[in-house]
Amino acid sequence: MKRCGGVLMHISSLAGEYGIGTLGKNALKFIDFLSESGFGAWQVLPVGPCDDYNSPYSGKSAFAGNIFFIDPEILQEKNLLTKEDVLECRHENIYVTQYDFLKKTREEIFRRAFLRITDSIAQEIRKFCSENSWVEEYALYCALKRKNDFAPWYEWDEDLKNCRADALDKARAELREEISFYEFLQYEFFSQWNSVKKYANEKGVSIIGDMPIYLCHDSADVWMNPHLFSLDKDMHLVRCAGVPPDYFCTDGQKWGNPLYNWDELKKENYSLWIKRLSHALSMYDAVRIDHFRAFSAYWSIPAAEKATMGHWEKGPGKELFDVLKKSCPDACIIAEDLGDIDDDVRELVRETGFPGMGVMQFAFITREDTVHLPHNYNHATVGYTGTHDNNTILGWLWESNEKDRRYALDYCGFQGDWGQGGPDSPSIRAVIRTLWQSGAVLSLVPIQDLCGFGSDTCMNHPGVADGNWCFRISDDALSCIDRSFYKALNNLYKRERLV
């Protein structure tokens, strides 16, 4: 990695009229904003299909893309949708992601597009599927979900639940058209994604992806590989993932994802993880692996118990990454080494050589010389003002106690009215400048902080299931950010672009 500055914002948060951010013109406009502001990196959240709570960190597939990110206007340009179809995709509220609206309407409109594909597009889809073996499996999973009234796979009849070959062959024959529809959606997602990625790189902007460590229980990957997860003979959870009490949640967090059966994964030379990482590296210029500490030791919670009833179990450690590096020797990986960190985790991060993370908001809740203080950041650190799980800078300043707030502002060399928000907020700029001055190889700021927004625009509230992942930026808000200020800041502190 080269020294660089960047912005954290999910695809869903892009501006636009279609109920959610898409991979269309507004993605390109955002890349133009980054380039004109001197930023060289755009970090996104996981782009796969979300769970029932709209969390991108508990995906239905380790490989598929979220179909709601498909841009209707691009489909119209391909003569797959009419102008009237595109109008049906619009939603009057442009400030909040409209998940209910999308789930009710978008797939039906995409079916119209599918019925209009040409022979040449059909040939391209077949080529895409032949080059990506996961596509047919995921499309079959989606088709069977629909046939079974969207019940989770572990509630299907025994033959399908257990992936018996004759039952799957019969389903493929019966559901051929439906499977082809879901293959079309993945083809279109990746076609649009690759165009955005190409445009970003041509503009000098790298895209940093985010890989969730765990998968949703009701996912195509767990269905096809149940022996690799902590499930009983009926395919129900035995133990699930989460974390003990921490900064975000005093009662801990129970995520509900099935834990890995690392012994079985080892027998297969960690092939699932090799496929996951290879796929991610084909999509992104760099990959942040979420909850990296679980590779050292993970919090194991009995399926029927609370998070506090969990205990630590040893993870695969360096052995996994030795295998991964043989398959992906040039992988550019960021280790999300946050949470309850001990010496074993620190040693694993050091042994892999991956840069870890520093988060400024964690630096001022103690008076110790913590690793989260920017003067401790170096070439092995990716520094953030805050992540998608944190408050905004403005919300953090307002909600901190006076002692911690004063410590933070003194550290950042700021005196004056700290409570002002907006894109020209002097206190927010002081915090960002402090991060940019640091030795972190990569410095990242959430888009909400460039806008100077308050806590009502937080992307996620850890430990709370509902009301998350909804923030969206507007064209007006993006246009109010002073590009010249950030261009000068990136140039001053030698944060050249990654590409």
Side-chain angles (χ1 to χ4, degrees):
M1 264 187 200
K2 297 179 181 177
R3 185 173 171 86
C4 180
V7 176
L8 169 62
M9 187 181 76
H10 195 29
I11 303 296
S12 65
S13 298
L14 286 164
E17 303 173 305
Y18 300 114
I20 194 170
T22 69
L23 297 168
K25 63 186 179 185
N26 283 295
L28 306 186
K29 286 173 65 175
F30 183 67
I31 291 166
D32 289 340
F33 159 77
L34 294 172
S35 180
E36 292 164 8
S37 304
F39 294 112
W42 175 11
Q43 182 181 326
V44 299
L45 304 186
V47 299
C50 300
D51 68 5
D52 294 337
Y53 297 99
N54 307 312
S55 172
Y57 289 92
S58 184
K60 301 281 189 179
S61 169
F63 305 97
N66 188 334
I67 65 169
F68 296 143
F69 296 159
I70 295 173
D71 185 70
E73 292 180 13
I74 294 177
L75 293 178
Q76 183 184 1
E77 291 169 6
K78 294 181 175 182
N79 296 317
L80 299 179
L81 290 181
T82 66
K83 182 179 179 180
E84 290 71 26
D85 293 330
V86 173
L87 287 173
E88 288 185 46
C89 294
R90 291 183 177 176
H91 195 284
E92 61 183 7
N93 188 331
I94 62 172
Y95 301 104
V96 177
T97 303
Q98 303 297 318
Y99 291 109
D100 289 342
F101 168 74
L102 293 165
K103 291 172 183 178
K104 289 177 182 177
T105 64
R106 195 56 48 92
E107 187 174 301
E108 174 56 35
I109 292 172
F110 287 159
R111 288 182 182 276
R112 300 175 200 170
F114 172 64
L115 292 175
R116 297 173 181 140
I117 62 174
T118 62
D119 289 342
S120 61
I121 293 176
Q123 185 175 351
E124 290 176 10
I125 295 171
R126 287 193 292 271
K127 182 174 184 292
F128 168 74
C129 293
S130 69
E131 294 172 348
N132 298 275
S133 60
W134 59 266
V135 178
E136 193 274 340
E137 290 181 359
Y138 179 68
L140 175 60
Y141 162 82
C142 292
L144 284 168
K145 285 276 289 184
R146 173 170 283 277
K147 181 182 178 182
N148 287 277
D149 296 321
F150 299 99
W153 65 266
Y154 44 85
E155 294 179 5
W156 299 349
D157 71 61
E158 288 298 311
D159 288 347
L160 288 173
K161 180 172 74 172
N162 292 291
C163 291
R164 296 194 173 116
D166 55 345
L168 295 186
D169 288 342
K170 181 179 178 182
R172 289 186 183 100
E174 292 178 350
L175 302 172
R176 184 62 259 171
E177 189 74 3
E178 193 74 3
I179 292 168
S180 296
F181 168 63
Y182 290 110
E183 290 173 342
F184 157 71
L185 291 179
Q186 289 307 306
Y187 160 79
E188 190 59 38
F189 171 89
F190 280 94
S191 176
Q192 294 189 15
W193 173 266
N194 290 335
S195 294
V196 169
K197 169 71 162 49
K198 183 175 183 288
Y199 186 83
N201 289 169
E202 289 172 349
K203 287 284 186 174
V205 176
S206 290
I207 296 184
I208 302 172
D210 199 339
M211 179 189 288
I213 184 171
Y214 293 119
L215 296 166
C216 181
H217 185 192
D218 183 19
S219 67
D221 311 279
V222 178
W223 171 52
M224 296 295 291
N225 304 279
H227 62 295
L228 300 180
F229 299 88
S230 181
L231 305 177
D232 63 21
K233 62 181 178 60
D234 295 318
M235 304 302 179
H236 296 139
L237 291 175
V238 176
R239 308 188 74 85
C240 61
V243 289
D246 61 8
Y247 172 87
F248 290 115
C249 191
T250 56
D251 295 325
Q253 298 176 49
K254 183 180 180 181
W255 298 331
N257 308 81
L259 293 170
Y260 290 104
N261 185 336
W262 287 112
D263 289 338
E264 289 299 318
L265 278 158
K266 182 178 180 179
K267 291 177 184 177
E268 298 183 6
N269 202 31
Y270 303 107
S271 62
L272 177 61
W273 269 94
I274 291 172
K275 292 175 184 175
R276 289 192 69 189
L277 184 59
S278 297
H279 178 71
L281 292 170
S282 73
M283 293 183 65
Y284 310 111
D285 297 296
V287 179
R288 170 191 178 272
I289 300 182
D290 187 55
H291 198 52
F292 192 86
R293 74 101 55 243
F295 295 112
S296 172
Y298 53 90
W299 193 246
S300 174
I301 307 169
E305 300 290 345
K306 297 179 179 179
T308 51
M309 299 302 292
H311 66 272
W312 292 111
E313 294 190 18
K314 188 173 179 58
K318 184 173 177 289
E319 179 182 71
L320 169 63
F321 294 98
D322 289 340
V323 172
L324 292 178
K325 283 188 174 183
K326 289 178 182 178
S327 299
C328 308
D330 300 319
C332 192
I333 292 174
I334 299 167
E336 190 266 290
D337 54 344
L338 304 177
D340 188 351
I341 303 302
D342 57 22
D343 288 341
D344 288 343
V345 181
R346 298 185 187 97
E347 179 63 16
L348 177 60
V349 175
R350 187 195 65 77
E351 288 178 337
T352 61
F354 303 148
M357 288 175 54
V359 181
M360 285 186 69
Q361 288 190 32
F362 296 153
F364 305 106
I365 55 179
T366 176
R367 297 303 176 266
E368 297 178 6
D369 190 17
T370 169
V371 295
H372 293 291
L373 284 164
H375 68 258
N376 288 321
Y377 298 171
N378 57 30
H379 66 280
T381 309
V382 175
Y384 295 75
T385 54
T387 71
H388 63 277
D389 285 332
N390 287 97
N391 206 336
T392 64
I393 294 176
L394 183 65
W396 168 57
L397 289 173
W398 274 98
E399 295 176 22
S400 295
N401 62 57
E402 173 59 27
K403 187 177 179 181
D404 290 348
R405 181 170 56 242
R406 189 67 262 161
Y407 174 33
L409 293 172
D410 286 346
Y411 186 95
C412 296
F414 181 79
Q415 300 291 327
D417 179 13
W418 56 265
Q420 175 187 333
D424 301 322
S425 167
S427 58
I428 293 174
R429 285 186 171 185
V431 174
I432 294 172
R433 180 184 291 274
T434 301
L435 175 58
W436 254 241
Q437 290 172 332
S438 75
V441 64
L442 178 61
S443 293
L444 290 157
V445 57
I447 189 66
Q448 293 96 317
D449 292 335
L450 294 186
C451 296
F453 290 155
S455 58
D456 58 325
T457 63
C458 291
M459 194 64 170
N460 182 45
H461 300 85
V464 178
D466 297 314
N468 297 315
W469 320 111
C470 292
F471 167 76
R472 296 186 67 198
I473 194 170
S474 66
D475 280 326
D476 288 343
L478 189 64
S479 66
C480 287
I481 300 171
D482 188 346
R483 289 163 167 79
S484 62
F485 173 82
Y486 288 103
K487 185 174 181 63
L489 196 72
N490 281 304
N491 289 336
L492 179 62
Y493 295 115
K494 312 303 179 189
R495 295 202 172 275
E496 293 86 5
R497 295 167 182 154
L498 283 173
V499 176

